[in-house]
Amino acid sequence: MLSHVIPPVRGYTKCSNSLVRHPRLCSDAKILVLYVQGLPACDRDKALSEHARSLLMTGRAYQRAKAELLAHGYVHERRERIAGGRWRTVQVMSNEPLTADQAARLYAGAPADGYAVVGAGRAGRTQQVGRAGHAGQVGHAGHAGRTASDAWSAPSTRFPTVGEPTGRSVGGQLPADEDLGEDTSHPPTEAEAGEEAEGDAAASESASVPVPVPVPVPGLGAAQDSAAPSGSAEVLAAERVLLSLRHERRELLLGVREARTLAGLAAEWLRRGVSPGDLRAALTRGLPKDGVRSALGFLAHRLVEKLPAPPAEQPEPVPPSPPPSPLALIACAGPGEEHMFRPNVPWATTCGPCHREEQRAYWEDMRVRTEAAPEPLPWRERFAAEGAEVGTGPGPDVGG
């Protein structure tokens, strides 16, 4: 077989051979993983079934592909309860199989063993770990690299190299459209700044990241004080959404401290039932024609002015009415010895056996009366008899 391969320059998705040549995954499952892996961050908040519907995948084929991905660790699902007594399904998809413990750490927003939430790259490059929400959305584990330096033994210096085989890392590369040229406009994160100051990687991993002082935003005043960032899950999710806005519009680039300043205001949107995808769309659509001069001021103004109304409180359910109390015992009016029974309806006077016996006797009497009654006269004789009674004589013979 002759093979002619032209490597693409842009608009491609990297995929490991272990996934393409997986013997226990069908083609629909592989295509679904590649499709979700190549989606931008704004389109990963949908459910996995919606992505399958975009690929024109039938229901039975999707169920088979999803079952195989769940069995081999490429997809993990968890149901969690949200406000209002409702439930939603959180889905995590990875281009490499993850264990249940690694998926649980990704649910909590912490780096999994062997996988990092913050990808390796130039200073300040943050890889987003998407999460699903609102009765069924899908996330992508994203590109990540190994962080533990002692996860395997170092290879020897002899040739060929001898040592334990290393596992395949999940990603570690930046998107193709961001590798062109050097970009120094992103400030380093607080964790990287702490590592450079202390010079000790182990000490920097154990040290806690200090919370920066919020930068005052002109025009907010009490709104910024009331929505001060905290360590809640909504604030962390809102911060990730704000940092990802630069992928939609480059003019909405925010630094880490600026994103944490607005995270409290954006978290209020999530608390009022807005999904991360809808929040991202509300902040990136309808921008001014002459551009955005200050991303921090523009986003702060939009977060305050377009804040949706709080969800209406659901009325408390009315407790069901208690069942009616049973009727009292009464004496049966049927024949035989006197006995008591509890009627089902207030107008009942006989018990069940006596009532059935009365009905049987009634219909037996009706049958006897019907059999003893004479045969009815034909209509001609009845017509003649009625004519004789009124004195008009018999009517004309119309029978022929």
Side-chain angles (χ1 to χ4, degrees):
M1 179 183 67
L2 298 178
S3 177
H4 179 63
V5 179
I6 300 178
V9 179
R10 58 173 53 89
Y12 61 91
T13 301
K14 294 182 179 181
C15 177
S16 61
N17 290 332
S18 60
L19 175 62
V20 177
R21 302 171 184 173
H22 201 293
R24 297 184 180 273
L25 290 180
C26 62
S27 59
D28 290 334
K30 299 175 183 178
I31 293 175
L32 192 58
V33 173
L34 294 178
Y35 176 79
V36 176
Q37 180 183 350
L39 289 175
C42 60
D43 293 337
R44 292 179 185 172
D45 292 343
K46 299 179 181 178
L48 190 60
S49 59
E50 297 186 15
H51 295 306
R53 193 178 299 110
S54 301
L55 293 172
L56 303 181
M57 193 178 299
T58 61
R60 183 169 298 181
Y62 163 69
Q63 293 296 336
R64 176 189 174 189
K66 179 182 175 183
E68 295 178 356
L69 293 176
L70 286 171
H72 295 88
Y74 289 92
V75 173
H76 292 267
E77 289 186 339
R78 185 184 68 175
R79 294 194 66 192
E80 60 183 20
R81 190 172 183 177
I82 60 177
R86 297 177 299 173
W87 291 82
R88 70 177 179 182
T89 301
V90 181
Q91 296 176 329
V92 170
M93 170 173 281
S94 173
N95 57 353
E96 289 291 335
L98 301 177
T99 62
D101 181 64
Q102 292 171 340
R105 293 175 64 86
L106 290 177
Y107 284 131
D113 296 335
Y115 302 94
V117 178
V118 179
R122 294 192 296 271
R125 295 290 187 175
T126 302
Q127 300 293 342
Q128 179 184 3
V129 177
R131 295 186 59 189
H134 198 60
Q137 297 177 347
V138 65
H140 185 62
H143 300 296
R146 285 194 175 269
T147 57
S149 58
D150 55 348
W152 51 78
S153 60
S156 61
T157 57
R158 58 175 292 184
F159 183 82
T161 304
V162 178
E164 297 181 2
T166 63
R168 185 180 299 275
S169 62
V170 181
Q173 296 84 10
L174 295 172
D177 58 348
E178 297 185 3
D179 285 339
L180 305 178
E182 184 177 0
D183 187 3
T184 59
S185 61
H186 305 287
T189 60
E190 283 75 11
E192 295 177 356
E195 292 177 2
E196 295 177 358
E198 297 178 2
D200 189 1
S204 64
E205 291 179 0
S206 60
S208 60
V209 180
V211 178
V213 179
V215 179
V217 181
L220 289 186
Q224 183 179 5
D225 299 336
S226 62
S230 61
S232 62
E234 292 84 359
V235 174
L236 296 178
E239 182 179 347
R240 288 195 295 267
V241 172
L242 292 173
L243 290 175
S244 66
L245 296 180
R246 61 187 181 91
H247 299 292
E248 297 288 335
R249 300 294 293 268
R250 301 294 297 179
E251 52 190 336
L252 297 181
L253 172 65
L254 289 176
V256 177
R257 296 188 62 186
E258 295 175 336
R260 292 182 180 178
T261 302
L262 302 177
L265 296 175
E268 185 63 26
W269 287 58
L270 302 181
R271 295 189 189 99
R272 298 191 177 189
V274 180
S275 64
D278 294 339
L279 174 59
R280 186 181 297 109
L283 296 178
T284 55
R285 293 177 181 175
L287 299 183
K289 296 182 180 180
D290 53 351
V292 177
R293 297 181 180 179
S294 173
L296 177 62
F298 173 78
L299 293 176
H301 179 269
R302 179 160 287 193
L303 286 173
V304 173
E305 295 299 328
K306 289 194 174 184
L307 182 65
E313 297 182 359
Q314 298 182 356
E316 297 183 0
V318 180
S321 58
S325 58
L327 300 176
L329 293 173
I330 60 175
C332 179
E337 298 181 358
E338 183 179 2
H339 54 278
M340 309 293 290
F341 78 101
R342 191 181 303 277
N344 294 329
V345 291
W347 56 84
T349 58
T350 56
C351 62
C354 295
H355 178 72
R356 290 190 292 271
E357 187 65 28
E358 288 181 357
Q359 294 294 321
R360 190 178 298 108
Y362 172 78
W363 289 109
E364 182 67 20
D365 181 63
M366 291 294 296
R367 185 185 65 81
V368 172
R369 291 182 180 181
T370 303
E371 292 178 354
E375 289 291 337
L377 296 174
W379 67 273
R380 290 186 178 88
E381 284 76 359
R382 291 200 309 271
F383 187 77
E386 291 178 1
E389 290 178 1
V390 297
T392 57
D397 190 3
V398 296

